[in-house]
Amino acid sequence: NKTTSDCHRQEQAGALRALTRRYGARLIVNDCIELALQVEADGVHLGGDDGDLTAARQRLGPGKILGASCYDDLALARQAQAAGVDYVAFGSFFPSQVKPDARRASPELLRAARRELTLPLCAIGGITPANAPALIEAGADMLAVISALYEADDPRAAAEAFAALFPSPLPSPAGGRGGRSVATRR
């Protein structure tokens, strides 16, 4: 929640941490390594302006998940892999209400990344259960969704539709903690 005070963000993240522990889910904090460390999150996802990935990996240690936004740039993904991230995210693949001016990525970028990188690949941007299969076919291991889940008439049914797109487990990042999943970003 980038629109509220630091105090409120910490309060919300702490409440989410309690819920994720209760239900055996992971908590990845978006954009803020300090907040991730404060609430003992499972990891952090950093964008291009959110800090140095090598320094973030050192601060987090090897047992925490570190993800990086690479937008439409395979060179950024190569650098992120070298810095020790656990996954990379590409997008926006489709028009998005959340970030309408985001750079566009193509499914071919996922194919190229799949050939070159050894990391799990995340796709983001305007993804729905209807357009997601093309991204999965192109190499996406995870999907980051906001509107298709949070604005759905039935968020549970939407989450189940996304989960059904991934019938088999994916080797998990950061020391075997998890499986193939639908990632959500807020």
Side-chain angles (χ1 to χ4, degrees):
N1 185 353
K2 299 178 189 184
T3 62
T4 191
S5 70
D6 288 346
C7 183
H8 193 229
R9 289 177 69 212
Q10 187 170 358
E11 181 180 300
Q12 289 178 331
L16 286 170
R17 175 75 277 194
L19 283 171
T20 56
R21 283 187 174 138
R22 179 176 173 193
Y23 291 101
R26 285 182 240 129
L27 175 63
I28 307 296
V29 171
N30 191 34
D31 297 342
C32 186
I33 192 167
E34 293 303 324
L35 181 59
L37 292 169
Q38 286 170 358
V39 299
E40 299 179 0
D42 296 293
V44 67
H45 181 93
L46 299 178
D49 298 327
D50 297 327
D52 179 73
L53 294 172
T54 302
R57 170 48 67 212
Q58 290 172 351
R59 290 206 57 214
L60 286 172
K64 299 285 185 175
I65 298 169
L66 176 58
S69 293
C70 298
Y71 312 101
D72 62 345
D73 192 335
L74 187 54
L76 282 178
R78 286 185 206 106
Q79 292 169 4
Q81 180 169 275
V85 304
D86 296 296
Y87 70 91
V88 292
F90 294 105
S92 179
F93 285 94
F94 304 102
S96 168
Q97 296 172 1
V98 176
K99 293 186 179 180
D101 298 325
R103 294 182 264 177
R104 288 284 186 274
S106 71
E108 183 51 42
L109 176 62
L110 287 171
R111 288 183 189 87
R114 175 59 54 230
R115 287 188 299 268
E116 233 182 278
L117 303 175
T118 59
L119 298 171
L121 308 177
C122 181
I124 187 170
I127 299 170
T128 67
N131 63 27
L135 300 176
I136 295 166
E137 184 277 324
D141 298 300
M142 299 178 284
L143 306 172
V145 298
I146 298 173
S147 299
L149 186 62
Y150 291 101
E151 294 178 13
D153 291 335
D154 184 348
R156 182 183 188 119
E160 289 171 351
F162 279 113
L165 297 171
F166 295 101
S168 62
L170 171 73
S172 56
R177 300 180 327 152
R180 198 168 199 167
S181 64
V182 176
T184 60
R185 287 180 39 161
R186 244 309 187 196

